[in-house]
Amino acid sequence: MAPWHPVRWYAGTLCGVLLLAVSLHAQAQDPLRFTDKVDVARILLDVRAIDPRGRPLLGLEPPDFEVKIDGRLARVESVQHITGAPAASPAAATPRATESQFATRGRLVVFLFQNSLERSRTPGLMRMLLGLRRSLDTLSPHDQVAILRFDSRLQLLLDFTQDRDLVRRAFEHDVLFGPATAPGERQVPSLRPVLDEERDEPSWSMERSLLRIAEALTPLPGAKSVVVVGHGFGRFGSMGVLLDSDYDDAREALQVARASVFCLDVTDADYHSLEAGLKTVADDTGGLYQRTHIFSQAALDRVMAALEGQYVLFVEKPELRRGTHSLDVRLKGRDGVVLVAATYVN
């Protein structure tokens, strides 16, 4: 064992004291910092924006929107314009493609035609079929289109496809004269669940047909657009036109499915009772109602522009009780209209 040496002991002790002093000084200069992490809930809102001339409003940013829930301002954190173009080159479509793969393949647009042989409705339907063939070019090549027909029951004429030739052929012939599609292998995305349910239990009403369409759309990702080309729905009662009892379920299902309904009224009249159903579902879901007996192409162009001016708003969620809340979305510093559902369900 080495003998004790006072000089070495003193030097070692002094070094230890100096190191401790340096450490304490560093801590004083850079104290421990504690931060609180706050998670902010967000609401996703699907809106469409068009200018006063019926053209899509493009390039909108968060400062361009003002959102109120129950009259209280809610901050718009970010905005995404849904163009229909894929975020990246999608893999080749396969029958077993997953929903996440499909999500990059464009928007979903469903056309629902009401068939009627009444003289006040047939000319308007023919004008819309002709106009739609010309308006298809306003859709993105990646958008998927499906076509349904309703007379006394719901029929699937064309499942979701990007093939515009098939869509034009359906507008030219199948809507008026074509048979419903035969049962077959289900694709992704698909409306075949609607066909399967109709085979077992026909819907018989537009309200129930909208409910079934919403249920088929719910599992599919993203916002959807349903374009109704028809003469209206409802039934006459002592208090005017009443909607079927299935309508409340249809409205809620459409909101859950993120489906907005755009209505092109083919009736040759300035006003008629059954337009109430078309107006109601358009207002409730953030869609648009348009009469087509005058300036029919302008009415169609306005609906197609609304499909093009589609945005998703990410909004900071205020403290809300459970239930239904009023919703108001407007433009700031821009002329135009924002189409959004009338209510938000917490």
Side-chain angles (χ1 to χ4, degrees):
M1 180 176 179
W4 177 76
H5 196 288
V7 176
R8 291 178 181 174
W9 175 87
Y10 177 78
T13 302
L14 181 61
C15 288
V17 171
L18 290 174
L19 289 174
L20 178 61
V22 170
S23 176
L24 291 174
H25 179 74
Q27 291 182 27
Q29 295 298 318
D30 188 18
L32 293 177
R33 297 176 182 176
F34 297 92
T35 59
D36 292 326
K37 180 180 180 181
V38 179
D39 292 325
V40 179
R42 291 167 180 81
I43 297 173
L44 186 151
L45 298 179
D46 297 303
V47 305
R48 275 80 174 175
I50 52 178
D51 71 12
R53 298 179 62 182
R55 298 172 302 187
L57 278 171
L58 308 179
L60 297 179
E61 300 291 341
D64 295 317
F65 292 95
E66 178 182 86
V67 176
K68 290 184 179 180
I69 302 175
D70 284 346
R72 292 185 295 169
L73 282 172
R75 190 176 79 89
V76 180
E77 185 177 88
S78 61
V79 169
Q80 182 180 7
H81 182 210
I82 309 300
T83 64
S89 299
T94 64
R96 298 184 180 276
T98 64
E99 287 186 3
S100 60
Q101 287 174 325
F102 154 69
T104 63
R105 296 182 195 164
R107 297 166 294 193
L108 294 181
V109 183
V110 178
F111 288 94
L112 171 60
F113 291 89
Q114 277 184 287
N115 270 10
S116 175
L117 297 179
E118 286 196 20
R119 289 188 302 172
S120 63
R121 299 167 179 170
T122 303
L125 177 60
M126 298 296 292
R127 286 195 299 269
M128 286 297 99
L129 288 171
L130 179 62
L132 281 168
R133 295 202 294 269
R134 295 195 295 261
S135 298
L136 274 178
D137 292 337
T138 63
L139 296 176
S140 161
H142 307 281
D143 291 339
Q144 305 248 5
V145 176
I147 301 176
L148 294 159
R149 179 177 62 202
F150 175 82
D151 40 30
S152 61
R153 63 190 301 163
L154 195 59
Q155 297 176 312
L156 178 63
L157 302 180
L158 183 67
D159 211 348
F160 283 115
T161 181
Q162 295 174 338
D163 190 331
R164 296 296 180 260
D165 290 336
L166 288 178
V167 176
R168 286 191 176 88
R169 193 176 309 143
F171 288 159
E172 291 172 0
H173 178 268
D174 296 348
V175 169
L176 296 175
F177 310 110
T181 58
E185 184 177 354
R186 191 172 300 176
Q187 63 182 50
V188 176
S190 178
L191 285 179
R192 283 202 175 274
V194 172
L195 184 62
D196 295 340
E197 292 185 24
E198 283 291 314
R199 193 181 304 113
D200 298 332
E201 183 183 355
S203 57
W204 304 121
S205 72
M206 273 289 290
E207 292 92 334
R208 186 149 186 85
S209 295
L210 289 169
L211 173 59
R212 287 199 166 155
I213 293 170
E215 291 172 344
L217 292 175
T218 297
L220 305 178
K224 302 96 181 175
S225 300
V226 179
V227 181
V228 176
V229 183
H231 52 267
F233 56 93
R235 55 186 175 84
F236 294 98
S238 58
M239 302 296 292
V241 177
L242 304 175
L243 301 184
D244 191 84
S245 58
D246 287 318
Y247 177 74
D248 288 340
D249 292 335
R251 180 190 62 235
E252 292 180 9
L254 287 165
Q255 291 178 346
V256 170
R258 298 176 60 192
S260 298
V261 181
F262 301 84
C263 299
L264 291 163
D265 190 342
V266 301
T267 306
D268 188 12
D270 292 331
Y271 168 81
H272 64 100
S273 299
L274 295 183
E275 71 182 39
L278 298 177
K279 285 183 173 180
T280 300
V281 71
D283 289 341
D284 285 345
T285 61
L288 181 67
Y289 168 84
Q290 292 283 283
R291 293 188 179 93
T292 65
H293 68 295
I294 299 176
F295 305 118
S296 56
Q297 188 60 46
L300 177 56
D301 290 345
R302 191 172 174 84
V303 167
M304 300 304 289
L307 303 188
E308 190 176 351
Q310 178 179 342
Y311 291 84
V312 175
L313 309 186
F314 297 90
V315 180
E316 287 188 4
K317 181 180 178 181
E319 291 186 6
L320 298 172
R321 58 173 173 77
R322 292 177 62 87
T324 302
H325 304 268
S326 65
L327 185 61
D328 182 30
V329 181
R330 302 185 182 188
L331 293 172
K332 294 191 302 182
R334 301 285 295 267
D335 291 331
V337 176
V338 178
L339 305 174
V340 65
T343 59
Y344 164 73
V345 180
N346 185 30

